[in-house]
Amino acid sequence: MLACLFTMIACWVVVAAFPDTPIGIALRHALIDRPAARLMRATRGDAAVMVLLMLTAAMVTLVGEGDGIGMLAMGAPDVAVWITTFEMSAYVDVIIALGAAASGLHLRGAIARYAGIFARGGRARTTDRARRSRKMRPSGADNDDEPGLLARVA
């Protein structure tokens, strides 16, 4: 937990000391601009949910005589270990694999192709030209009046 605190302080120092560098701009955008924009969109419903959560936490603390806090404190190390088991490299690997799969499938073309099939109701429409070019030629097996090959052999 102390490492997270030092990392956050280091990020704020970079934002304050080097605001015009690409890293400073990216950190300022992630740490200041986005949270400020989100807080500006806070509604009365968000405030009501926060008040209800705080009241619930206060009731658990007062009625449970501190058992809820003790239970949360006992579970905190397990949650911290579970969160840290996923490295950033695993997330990067997943993103790279998804990008490779999407580029290998030519995703936009596949979506357009399948969307066209489903838009037609599952069956392909034939045009007049396609109907004209598929003329059936009569074959010798179409004649039901004459005996077939097996009857001639016997």
Side-chain angles (χ1 to χ4, degrees), residues 49-73:
V49 168
M50 185 59 67
V51 167
L52 286 175
L53 287 174
M54 290 187 333
L55 285 174
T56 304
M59 281 182 22
V60 167
T61 303
L62 292 175
V63 174
E65 298 174 359
D67 289 339
I69 294 174
M71 192 167 57
L72 286 175

Side-chain angles (χ1 to χ4, degrees), residues 68-154:
I69 294 174
M71 192 167 57
L72 286 175
M74 286 189 290
D78 294 334
V79 171
V81 168
W82 183 77
I83 289 172
T84 57
T85 57
F86 300 106
E87 297 178 1
M88 286 303 294
S89 63
Y91 297 125
V92 171
D93 288 342
V94 167
I95 290 171
I96 290 173
L98 288 174
S103 67
L105 292 175
H106 299 287
L107 196 58
R108 279 186 250 156
I111 289 173
R113 199 168 38 246
Y114 293 125
I117 290 172
F118 292 127
R120 289 190 293 240
R123 60 184 176 89
R125 293 182 182 165
T126 58
T127 61
D128 291 336
R129 181 176 179 186
R131 271 189 233 120
R132 278 185 302 213
S133 65
R134 285 194 232 134
K135 294 189 178 182
M136 300 293 291
R137 295 191 179 111
S139 66
D142 287 344
N143 190 355
D144 292 335
D145 296 333
E146 296 178 13
L149 179 65
L150 293 176
R152 288 185 206 158
V153 172

